[in-house]
Amino acid sequence: MKDIAPWATWASWLSAETRGERGRVLAYLIVAACGAIMALAVVTGLMRETGPLLVPLTRYELWIVAAGAIGGLGGLYLTDELIGQPGRAGWQRAAIGVLMLSFSGSVIAGTLALPLYGTMFGPFSLVVTLAGAPGLALFWIAGLLLAHNLMVRW
């Protein structure tokens, strides 16, 4: 009988069979991380906090991070047909997919963060934050296009 590490059974998805499957898992993880960072940036930008950088997150901020990750994952799932298509037409569809993913992900994250009110102002807050911070907008778009590039292999 083989000696199997205890974590091997619950982490078996990390050893996906093909490069395409591994790329797809990594794309979802990248979008979840980008969504979490964007959600925290939106909320801290709305609260206009100018305190020190390395302070522990409150429970509310941790929930915002989780909601942003879930929103990013949900947005990627909803735009799955647009993200990851090969060729020039695939990149054109990915550009539309980035916009749709941003909208649907911000609606999902906003709804989880603050029901009804967040649903309305989630997409608006994302647009305002991206317009006010071009570096953050570049980070967001680069993360989503990287996810597209990783999913092309699938």
Side-chain angles (χ1 to χ4, degrees):
M1 187 169 147
K2 289 171 48 173
D3 188 25
I4 298 176
W7 53 268
T9 55
W10 63 267
S12 61
W13 59 272
L14 288 173
S15 62
E17 296 294 323
T18 65
R19 283 182 61 196
E21 289 173 337
R22 286 191 298 269
R24 191 168 177 84
V25 168
L26 186 56
Y28 270 88
L29 291 175
I30 287 171
V31 170
C34 288
I37 292 168
M38 286 301 301
L40 188 61
V42 166
V43 169
T44 55
L46 291 176
M47 295 187 318
R48 303 280 185 237
E49 290 184 5
T50 57
L53 266 172
L54 299 174
V55 295
L57 296 175
T58 64
R59 288 184 191 161
Y60 175 69
E61 291 168 337
L62 288 173
W63 171 243
I64 295 299
V65 167
I70 293 168
L73 291 173
L76 184 57
Y77 179 78
L78 291 173
T79 60
D80 196 62
E81 289 296 319
L82 295 172
I83 305 290
Q85 301 296 322
R88 172 177 264 193
W91 283 101
Q92 292 170 347
R93 291 180 77 176
I96 295 168
V98 164
L99 295 174
M100 291 179 67
L101 190 153
S102 298
F103 177 76
S104 60
S106 62
V107 167
I108 294 168
T111 302
L112 290 173
L114 192 60
L116 297 179
Y117 184 77
T119 304
M120 290 187 311
F121 290 105
F124 175 72
S125 300
L126 178 68
V127 170
V128 168
T129 301
L130 292 177
L136 200 57
L138 183 64
F139 166 77
W140 176 246
I141 293 169
L144 296 182
L145 292 179
L146 177 61
H148 163 72
N149 196 30
L150 285 168
M151 289 176 72
V152 167
R153 292 186 224 151
W154 176 254

